[in-house]
Amino acid sequence: MELDSLYQQVILDHYKSPHHKGLPNSSTSVHHVNPSCGDEITLSLILTDGKVTDLVWDGVGCSISQASSSIMSDLVIGKSAEEAFAVMEHFTTLMQSKGTLTGDEEVLEDAIALAGVSKFPARVKCALLGWMAFKDAAIQAGGVNV
Ligand code: ZN
């Protein structure tokens, strides 16, 4: 992995001190795995009036999956499910860009640090795991019509 050192530090910080990591506890708890790497995440969230008012996740896996889940939790809490899905789409597009996009920092905040991951197709699933779990949980909670 050849990531910019500043970006590497952001990822490492989230990996070492993950945000909103704890025991998932609400009724909308989902479990996602990334078999190609061995990453796992369990995530629960609470939607109040369509807004993500709480989200807790727990997981094991590589630094990319854990850091991305931590960054995702920061990004979606406080947003409406629709707003959070828009950020997720932006991030997913970035991850699928094979290194051709850099992403919008205004939208992605710390997730911009993961831009370099898009050059490594085998790791893209690691970066998207937490987001996929969020999407699943938000749909289960009834916050989004798909
Ligand atoms: Zn991984």
Side-chain angles (χ1 to χ4, degrees):
M1 304 277 292
E2 291 172 30
L3 297 177
D4 180 277
S5 61
L6 173 72
Y7 283 176
Q8 250 170 359
Q9 192 57 47
V10 172
I11 293 168
L12 215 57
D13 286 349
H14 276 279
Y15 178 55
K16 284 183 181 163
S17 311
H19 300 178
H20 308 289
K21 190 170 180 180
L23 282 182
N25 48 22
S26 81
S27 55
T28 51
S29 177
V30 299
H31 183 68
H32 280 227
V33 296
N34 173 20
S36 62
C37 183
D39 310 316
E40 292 190 34
I41 184 170
T42 304
L43 180 150
S44 68
L45 56 76
I46 295 172
L47 288 177
T48 311
D49 297 330
K51 212 170 172 182
V52 183
T53 48
D54 196 24
L55 182 152
V56 183
W57 64 277
D58 195 16
V60 292
C62 68
S63 56
I64 299 294
S65 68
Q66 302 297 292
S68 186
S69 298
S70 172
I71 293 167
M72 174 277 298
S73 63
D74 280 346
L75 279 169
V76 303
I77 293 171
K79 286 191 172 73
S80 72
E82 277 177 16
E83 288 167 340
F85 270 49
V87 176
M88 177 173 67
E89 266 178 38
H90 191 102
F91 184 68
T92 305
T93 303
L94 175 63
M95 285 300 105
Q96 292 167 346
S97 74
K98 298 183 171 70
T100 61
L101 298 177
T102 52
D104 184 347
E105 191 167 5
E106 294 272 307
V107 177
L108 295 178
E109 300 177 22
D110 276 1
I112 206 89
L114 293 159
V117 174
S118 72
K119 286 181 249 173
F120 304 88
R123 309 305 301 277
V124 168
K125 280 184 184 167
C126 303
L128 290 177
L129 180 70
W131 287 94
M132 294 299 108
F134 162 70
K135 181 182 183 182
D136 193 9
I139 290 169
Q140 277 192 32
V144 190
N145 298 317
V146 281

